[in-house]
Amino acid sequence: MPPGTIWRIGVEAMDPSRNRKTFLSERVSVLVGDITEQDVDAIVNAANSTLLGGGGVDGAIHSRGGREIRQACEEIRRTRFPKGLPAGEAVITAAGRLPARYVIHTVGPICRPGREPDGRMLALCYRNSLALAAERELRSIAFPAISTGAFGYPPEQAAPVVSETIQSFLSQKTSLERVLLVFYEPSDMTLFLKNQRFTAP
Ligand code: AR6
């Protein structure tokens, strides 16, 4: 099998040489990796409403991206969101030392034990991030699994929301050609693949 050969299995395709799966005629790739290393037009940050950093994805983006991101976030807080970025909204900054050109910061819903997760809010995060990227005429974007870490959203319940939201967005005319879904742990990618709801284009 030559490298780069794509296997097709139902609506998904697998590229064994790169260990990633693709959907929607290869416009969506699902892979294991570090969001800060993605060479795309924009990466998405699973931020909190302060926009001033935290742990997880947020911590990694701020520490590897450097001061430029933090300064841009402080400016957004000062000028547009003095009380903090509300959940579901998205803002865009430069990406400092990261390979990506921009960082889109969004705040996912916090899921409390015993409560129904807020799928509408999670969908808004993805939709508003995609819309912001498209508004800037960007062609590629990479998402981490928003809200499924510290914010406690069950990953198996996030997968249908995320896949349906992305598919619906890409069904309209948009500059976006490539959407990457980047999972830190192989088990998180497996869980996503089991629960996603992409359909054939
Ligand atoms: N690349 C890709 N995925 C990652 C990385 C990385 N470098 N690091 C962690 N993940 P989380 P949330 C995965 O907690 O649930 C922060 O403190 C991780 O395994 O980063 O939206 C913020 O400041 C998990 O699957 O985001 C907020 O306060 C997923 O990314 C809060 O956490 C999301 O985990 C946001 O919580």
Side-chain angles (χ1 to χ4, degrees):
M1 180 74 52
T5 302
I6 310 288
W7 290 80
R8 281 191 191 290
I9 315 141
V11 300
E12 68 189 52
M14 170 126 181
D15 177 347
S17 64
R18 292 189 299 167
N19 200 18
R20 60 173 68 192
K21 293 221 177 189
T22 64
F23 295 88
L24 307 182
S25 308
E26 289 161 43
R27 289 175 83 191
V28 177
S29 296
V30 179
L31 61 143
V32 174
D34 185 333
I35 194 82
T36 62
E37 290 171 6
Q38 305 306 312
D39 189 4
V40 285
D41 289 336
I43 60 168
V44 177
N45 183 15
N48 60 57
S49 64
T50 69
L51 289 180
L52 302 179
V57 170
D58 201 10
I61 288 176
H62 278 277
S63 75
R64 286 176 214 155
R67 284 285 311 158
E68 200 185 339
I69 301 177
R70 165 79 186 218
Q71 281 163 355
C73 286
E74 284 170 355
E75 182 66 7
I76 289 171
R77 281 295 308 277
R78 203 177 56 75
T79 56
R80 294 177 54 199
F81 292 103
K83 291 189 181 146
L85 184 70
E89 300 226 17
V91 294
I92 190 164
T93 66
R97 296 193 300 261
L98 298 174
R101 288 165 60 202
Y102 299 99
V103 178
I104 293 176
H105 307 260
T106 189
V107 182
I110 298 173
C111 194
R112 315 237 179 244
R115 293 260 192 93
E116 194 55 33
D118 190 344
R120 201 189 54 87
M121 189 66 81
L122 187 66
L124 259 188
C125 290
Y126 281 83
R127 201 174 314 122
N128 284 335
S129 299
L130 290 163
L132 200 48
E135 217 176 279
R136 299 284 179 117
E137 308 249 302
L138 305 187
R139 287 155 64 163
S140 54
I141 186 169
F143 284 93
I146 296 166
S147 276
T148 64
F151 279 1
Y153 202 108
E156 65 283 3
Q157 284 176 266
V161 174
V162 170
S163 48
E164 286 175 350
T165 304
I166 292 171
Q167 177 147 6
S168 151
F169 191 90
L170 292 181
S171 70
Q172 305 155 4
K173 192 171 154 37
T174 170
S175 61
L176 284 167
E177 293 166 1
R178 247 171 7 112
V179 177
L180 271 53
L181 299 177
V182 181
F183 293 91
Y184 212 37
E185 304 287 342
S187 57
D188 290 338
M189 173 168 158
T190 304
L191 212 49
F192 177 85
L193 291 172
K194 252 194 204 152
N195 293 284
Q196 55 75 27
R197 290 203 194 135
F198 288 116
T199 57

